[in-house]
């Protein structure tokens, strides 16, 4: 029988294995989950955890992976891992996993807990590895247990090291209490002297500054995204539905090396483009329409985010030309302010000034942009000076439902000390570039 303490003291992950399990036949490499770490090697994620533990300094921190989405049909919907958990572990295929960090422990400072196996469910969905050396090798964790070990391990670690770090994100009061805070409450009710620290700024600050290997993924995502937008401009025909155009864009993303969609594609023609995150597919493209496409590929789980607006006919009307030029001027005014140390608010005001001077500020109905990374709306604090290495969008727009149009021009930029580098390069953006790309 294992006591709480002997669980931590025991050497092998196999301590929790029923006798004989270690001897079962393992799925070969490339089969079963966890498949390994994605999109980088286990050492990359171990190093990130080490840096996080250095920043925390003491105490313990528990990070919950995303749960399997609820479903009652025969086929489970796709699973999307939590951004913090994916960034720290690279494990994106085991719903319900949990990470425990304990920086001051002498030897074992990190634990990966995976949900119990379910042989019946695995016959329908995917085979999962038993605990043992193979799972340790694939994940890069020396200690992998089942989630049933959470209580004993977290309690014993908290007894020795009393600060419980909440790594966020802070939830709104109308949202459920985050699981880590629920767990910490349970621990605090049992282990005298524990306290909960707000450490919710640490991970966003780390994730916000991209590593070169992350930028490389985002460059690939941007190149694939460019292929899709260019294909849209070249292939579009009046009479097509928005859905047909969306399919053409997404096919070109894949041909350009995209491995996924960064978010649900937004393809709106005419009046539909005035709905900011339009979700329909049935609008029919008419000759005088402006078409707005906000769509992007992802590569290695890293998002891109690009919007282009162009005339269905290939030629802007004089009125469309004026409005488009105004949005582009707002975009460029914001971009001129962008460099490391700048406040995003100042970029936003620069764009708004352009609209204000033109008497159009009420037609710009959303924020100027956001961070981009593993999540398309990525973590980071936009109220602080922008750090070098962050990736942001600039995406001003004008939306006039009554006049049947919406215009948005969105690109992603790597913040540098000298200014910014446009990652989403190569997609026609000026009126002349768009009309040239569409000339047939
Ligand atoms: N694609 C969503 C956005 O631009 O925020
Ligand atoms: Mn965006
Ligand atoms: Mn967008």
């Amino acid at each position: 029988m294992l006591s709480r303490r002997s669980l931590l003291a025991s050497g092998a992950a196999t301590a929790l294995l029923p006798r004989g399990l270690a001897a079962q036949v393992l799925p070969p490499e490339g089969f079963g989950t966890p498949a390994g770490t994605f999109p980088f090697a286990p050492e990359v994620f171990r190093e990130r955890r080490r840096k996080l533990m250095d920043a925390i300094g003491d105490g313990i921190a528990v990070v919950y992976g995303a749960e399997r989405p609820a479903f009652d049909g025969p086929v489970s919907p796709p699973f999307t891992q939590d951004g913090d958990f994916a960034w720290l572990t690279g494990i994106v295929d085991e719903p319900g996993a949990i990470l425990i960090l304990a920086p001051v422990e002498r030897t074992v400072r990190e634990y990966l807990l995976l949900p119990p196996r379910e042989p019946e469910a695995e016959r329908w969905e995917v085979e999962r590895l038993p605990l043992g050396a193979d799972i340790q090798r694939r994940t890069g964790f020396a200690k992998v247990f089942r989630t049933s070990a959470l209580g004993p391990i977290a309690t014993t670690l908290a007894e020795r090291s009393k600060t419980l770090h909440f790594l966020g994100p802070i939830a709104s009061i109308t949202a459920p209490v985050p699981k880590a805070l629920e767990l910490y409450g349970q621990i605090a009710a049992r282990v005298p002297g524990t306290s909960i620290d707000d450490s919710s700024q640490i991970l966003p600050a780390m994730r916000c500054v991209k590593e070169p290997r992350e930028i490389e993924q985002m460059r690939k995502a941007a190149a694939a995204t460019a292929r899709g937008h260019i294909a849209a401009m070249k292939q579009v025909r009046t009479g097509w539905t928005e859905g047909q155009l969306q399919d053409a864009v997404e096919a070109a993303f894949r041909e350009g090396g995209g491995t996924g969609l960064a978010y649900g594609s937004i393809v709106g023609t005419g009046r539909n483009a005035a709905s900011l995150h339009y979700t329909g597919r049935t609008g029919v493209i008419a000759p005088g329409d402006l078409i707005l496409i906000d769509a992007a590929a992802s590569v290695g789980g890293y998002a891109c985010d690009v919007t282009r607006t162009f005339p269905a006919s290939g030629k802007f009307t004089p009125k469309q030309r004026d409005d488009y030029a105004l949005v582009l001027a707002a975009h460029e005014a914001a971009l001129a302010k962008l460099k490391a140390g700048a406040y995003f608010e100042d970029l936003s005001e620069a764009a708004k000034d352009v609209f204000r001077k033109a008497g159009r500020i009420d037609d710009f109905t959303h924020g100027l942009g956001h961070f981009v990374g593993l999540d398309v709306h990525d973590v980071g604090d936009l109220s602080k000076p922008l750090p070098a290495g962050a990736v942001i969008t600039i995406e001003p727009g004008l939306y006039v439902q009554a006049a049947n149009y919406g215009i948005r021009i969105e690109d992603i930029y790597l913040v540098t000390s000298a200014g910014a580098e446009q990652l989403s390069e190569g997609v026609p953006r000026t009126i002349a570039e768009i009309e040239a790309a569409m000339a047939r």
Side-chain angles (χ1 to χ4, degrees), residues 263 266 277 294 305 307 370 376-377 395 408 410:
Y263 49 92
I266 299 162
H277 282 179
D294 182 347
D305 191 3
T307 308
H370 49 85
V376 64
H377 286 201
E395 50 179 303
R408 179 159 65 251
E410 175 176 30

Side-chain angles (χ1 to χ4, degrees), residues 199-218:
S199 302
S200 60
Q201 295 304 313
I202 297 175
L203 264 178
M206 290 175 74
R207 282 180 58 190
C208 175
V209 177
K210 269 56 188 179
E211 300 159 357
R213 61 173 73 83
E214 294 180 291
I215 307 281
E216 200 183 310
Q217 300 291 309
M218 295 183 81

Side-chain angles (χ1 to χ4, degrees), residues 62-66 81-85 88 165-173 175-182 184 196-205 207 375 377-381:
V62 177
V63 182
Y64 282 79
Q81 183 57 281
D82 170 78
D84 285 342
F85 194 89
L88 285 168
H165 292 274
F166 178 59
L167 296 178
I170 303 282
S172 141
I173 57 163
V177 173
K179 284 184 178 170
L181 284 178
E182 248 176 28
Y184 293 173
I196 301 176
D197 248 34
D198 177 11
S199 302
S200 60
Q201 295 304 313
I202 297 175
L203 264 178
R207 282 180 58 190
D375 295 316
H377 286 201
D378 207 40
V379 293
D381 188 347

Side-chain angles (χ1 to χ4, degrees), residues 268-276 288-292 309-311 316-327 355 359-360 363-365 397-408:
T269 193
R271 187 185 186 94
N272 291 338
S275 299
L276 304 180
D289 282 359
L290 278 180
I291 301 165
L292 183 154
T309 309
F310 52 90
F316 288 86
T317 66
K319 162 79 175 134
Q320 289 171 348
R321 196 172 264 273
D322 289 349
D323 288 333
Y324 190 91
L326 191 61
V327 178
F355 291 137
R360 299 295 304 275
D363 294 332
F364 176 37
T365 49
L398 291 174
Y399 308 89
V400 188
Q401 213 151 28
N404 297 329
Y405 73 89
I407 299 171
R408 179 159 65 251

Side-chain angles (χ1 to χ4, degrees), residues 117-204:
R117 293 191 68 190
E118 294 178 83
E120 298 297 343
E122 287 176 31
R123 294 297 297 268
W124 287 88
E125 293 166 5
V126 61
E127 191 175 358
R128 297 173 53 224
L129 258 62
L131 297 182
D134 201 35
I135 219 167
Q136 292 165 2
R137 185 182 52 74
R138 288 193 190 191
T139 63
F141 279 83
K143 293 286 182 184
V144 185
F145 292 133
R146 293 297 174 197
T147 47
S148 52
L150 173 64
I153 295 176
T155 311
T156 302
L157 291 172
E159 245 186 298
R160 306 209 284 243
S161 191
K162 304 243 168 166
T163 309
L164 311 175
H165 292 274
F166 178 59
L167 296 178
I170 303 282
S172 141
I173 57 163
T174 51
V177 173
K179 284 184 178 170
L181 284 178
E182 248 176 28
L183 175 78
Y184 293 173
Q186 290 165 341
I187 293 173
R190 290 163 177 79
V191 184
T194 53
S195 64
I196 301 176
D197 248 34
D198 177 11
S199 302
S200 60
Q201 295 304 313
I202 297 175
L203 264 178

